[in-house]
Amino acid sequence: MLPVLALDVGAAIKTLVLTLDLIGTFVFALSGAIAGARRRLDIFGVLVLSFVAATSGGIVRDLLIGATPPAAIRDWRYMAVSLLAGLVIFFWYPIVNRLRNPVLIFDGAGLALFCVAGAQKALVFGADPWAAALLGMLTGIGGGVARDVLLNDVPAVFRSDIYAVAALAGASVVVLGDALRLPAAPTASAGAALCFGLRVAAIRYGWHLPTARHPDGPDDEAKDPKHGEYR
């Protein structure tokens, strides 16, 4: 009886990870596609950005934990979900753009979903707690870094925004819940809510990490009121 129960629990966790991964893929793909649409890229450019933003973090995570070939390449659903999101944005961008700061909101939601899914998957593959938390953070920030690099922007994670810290906090909740043997779904929801809440609060209230002092004062980008628009 116990082996059957363990098998059911393991299958449920894998299903949860897959579900979070696919939802996060769609949300991050929206973020990448919106950023591409704002730069007036053609349909190919928008679809490439949607796929890269949606899958880069997961691909790096899978390579590091030995889940090869990565799920984003092996499973057609990841590409289908990311391309669907790209097409939605390409054809209905004027409608989506009416939302307030849509890139930031979608990016924050994708960050929250990916950090908990990444930590969960790392734990399933036997990673140590600290490694699982770091891999969860890496899963969350990887897509945004790749998107910003392709758009010739300095990635948000390297700036003063509360970004990687929020991802690490969400992933740590998942790891802590696993250590305490708490149910996976509520723990993942709590971790995602914490990450998303931190990210949105940082945007709303201007929270940031300390930056290095510069003898010439703030640079031009720091003075730009539109700084962070694509993050």
Side-chain angles (χ1 to χ4, degrees):
M1 188 68 179
L2 287 178
V4 174
L5 180 60
L7 182 62
D8 290 343
V9 172
I13 292 177
K14 289 181 179 179
T15 300
L16 174 64
V17 170
L18 176 63
T19 302
L20 291 173
D21 239 5
L22 289 175
I23 296 174
T25 296
F26 184 79
V27 173
F28 250 137
L30 291 175
S31 169
I34 290 173
R38 283 186 171 176
R39 294 296 183 89
R40 299 184 180 276
L41 301 184
D42 61 20
I43 186 170
F44 180 76
V46 170
L47 293 180
V48 167
L49 265 185
S50 68
F51 180 74
V52 168
T55 60
S56 296
I59 288 174
V60 174
R61 173 204 62 205
D62 288 352
L63 291 174
L64 289 176
I65 64 177
T68 55
I73 298 173
R74 183 182 69 251
D75 191 335
W76 63 270
R77 288 174 290 187
Y78 287 87
M79 178 173 286
V81 165
S82 64
L83 295 183
L84 174 62
L87 290 173
V88 167
I89 296 303
F90 185 81
F91 289 107
W92 289 285
Y93 172 68
I95 298 175
V96 176
N97 194 46
R98 294 173 188 170
L99 301 175
R100 184 175 180 270
N101 294 326
V103 174
L104 296 175
I105 298 301
F106 287 134
D107 185 75
L111 182 71
L113 290 167
F114 267 14
C115 74
V116 298
Q120 285 278 15
K121 187 167 185 177
L123 290 170
V124 169
F125 275 77
D128 293 334
W130 64 271
L134 291 176
L135 285 168
M137 179 188 71
L138 178 62
T139 306
I141 68 177
V145 170
R147 178 199 66 216
D148 291 346
V149 168
L150 287 178
L151 290 174
N152 199 31
D153 288 331
V154 177
V157 67
F158 298 142
R159 291 192 173 274
S160 57
D161 309 57
I162 302 295
Y163 194 83
V165 172
L168 183 60
S172 297
V173 170
V174 173
V175 171
L176 181 61
D178 180 75
L180 297 175
R181 300 187 181 279
L182 299 176
T187 301
S189 299
L194 175 62
C195 177
F196 185 72
L198 285 174
R199 181 66 183 137
V200 171
I203 296 169
R204 175 66 178 81
Y205 300 108
W207 295 349
H208 58 83
L209 299 176
T211 56
R213 294 181 179 272
H214 196 284
D216 298 328
D219 59 21
D220 292 338
E221 280 191 335
K223 297 177 183 177
D224 185 356
K226 294 184 179 180
H227 168 59
E229 180 182 1
Y230 296 102
R231 298 164 182 79

